[in-house]
Amino acid sequence: MTAAKTSCNNDPQSGSIPSVGRHFTLKLNKLDIILLIIIGCFISWLVYRSSIGIHYNWHWRQAFQLIFTSSRDGGMPYFMQGIISTIRVSIWGMIFAATFGLLLALANLSSFKIMRLISNSYIQLLRNIPPLVFVFIFYFFISNQLVPLLGLSGIFRHYSGQENTLQIVLFGHSNLWENLFSGVLCVGLIAAAYIAEIIRSGINTISKGQWEAADSLGLSTYSRFRFVIFPQALAAIVPTLAGQFISIVKDSSIISLISIQELTFTGSEIANSSGFIFEIWLIVGAVYFILCFSLSLLFRKLEKYSSRHLQHQ
């Protein structure tokens, strides 16, 4: 499918300033036409089968009223709380996964064999265990021991201080801090293994000449990596890294199985209690699509910015 651009100029003898107009002529090749016919036939078949085979009374108005209904204490709607919880877990999970993944990647590239062994073992372990199994292992066997071990019981389980606005925005109410901590660790630890491999492969794509050029400038190891190697590697891995960050948003739905009240958990409770199964789950899917699509647009702009930045160097 191609688009041809044409321009038309005003007559220069008329004395007016020439203006340029553009219009696009859509040209379809044979493959485009075949694909459009197939898609049209499939949509027509779905409409036909739905009209004769599906007898369901949709309750969209009641479903939207339900998700926008205030909670019992008059606060924010329960469904909206789930959306905010998903966003909060995803953002903190991205930060944790990116930081820990970078450390794992550097350890995997280290000259110390023990560092490479530990990093590679962790990466291979997490990449070859189903996320659902890891979530259950982490929550029921590790998380229950980790919070007391780190001395966080007083903060998560027995916090009696006054919550300020910043704490609520960043972490939610204190009774949900332990859930947030567990959720962030779950999604972050899983994603960090994949991010580590992405960063490692990006660094390995940098040519040997770049390392030698940085050495010839007398830069320290940190400066060489910070100003020469990593910016080039980052530009190369932004698309893949964006896909992994988007996966964190989608993978956050897994932690609903350990009773963390994010979007999937609240959607499941509302759907089961109201009986509006199709409507609620379609709304949940639409919200996930909006979140992930917004992230893809953001990372697309970041990719263009990083490419221009490198070209100007």
Side-chain angles (χ1 to χ4, degrees), residues 93-162:
M94 291 176 193
I95 295 174
F96 175 73
T99 304
F100 189 41
L102 176 61
L103 294 177
L104 287 173
L106 295 178
N108 210 357
L109 296 170
S110 173
S111 57
F112 296 100
K113 187 175 181 179
I114 185 64
M115 298 290 290
R116 297 198 306 270
L117 178 62
I118 294 175
S119 174
N120 192 55
S121 299
Y122 176 86
I123 292 172
Q124 296 303 323
L125 179 65
L126 266 292
R127 292 181 66 187
N128 292 284
I129 291 181
L132 183 60
V133 175
F134 173 78
V135 167
F136 282 126
I137 293 175
F138 175 84
Y139 187 74
F140 291 110
F141 294 97
I142 301 178
S143 180
N144 289 335
Q145 304 296 325
L146 186 61
V147 172
L149 180 65
L150 296 177
L152 300 176
S153 298
I155 298 176
F156 292 155
R157 301 174 182 176
H158 309 290
Y159 183 77
S160 58
Q162 183 67 32

Side-chain angles (χ1 to χ4, degrees), residues 117 187 229 239 273:
L117 178 62
V187 298
I229 304 302
S273 62

Side-chain angles (χ1 to χ4, degrees), residues 246 288-298 300:
I246 292 173
Y288 274 114
F289 173 80
I290 292 172
L291 293 176
C292 295
F293 185 68
S294 300
L295 267 181
S296 67
L297 293 179
L298 176 63
R300 187 176 302 173

Side-chain angles (χ1 to χ4, degrees), residues 50-61:
S50 299
S51 62
I52 66 173
I54 298 178
H55 304 284
Y56 182 76
N57 295 322
W58 296 95
H59 304 87
W60 288 111
R61 183 174 61 84

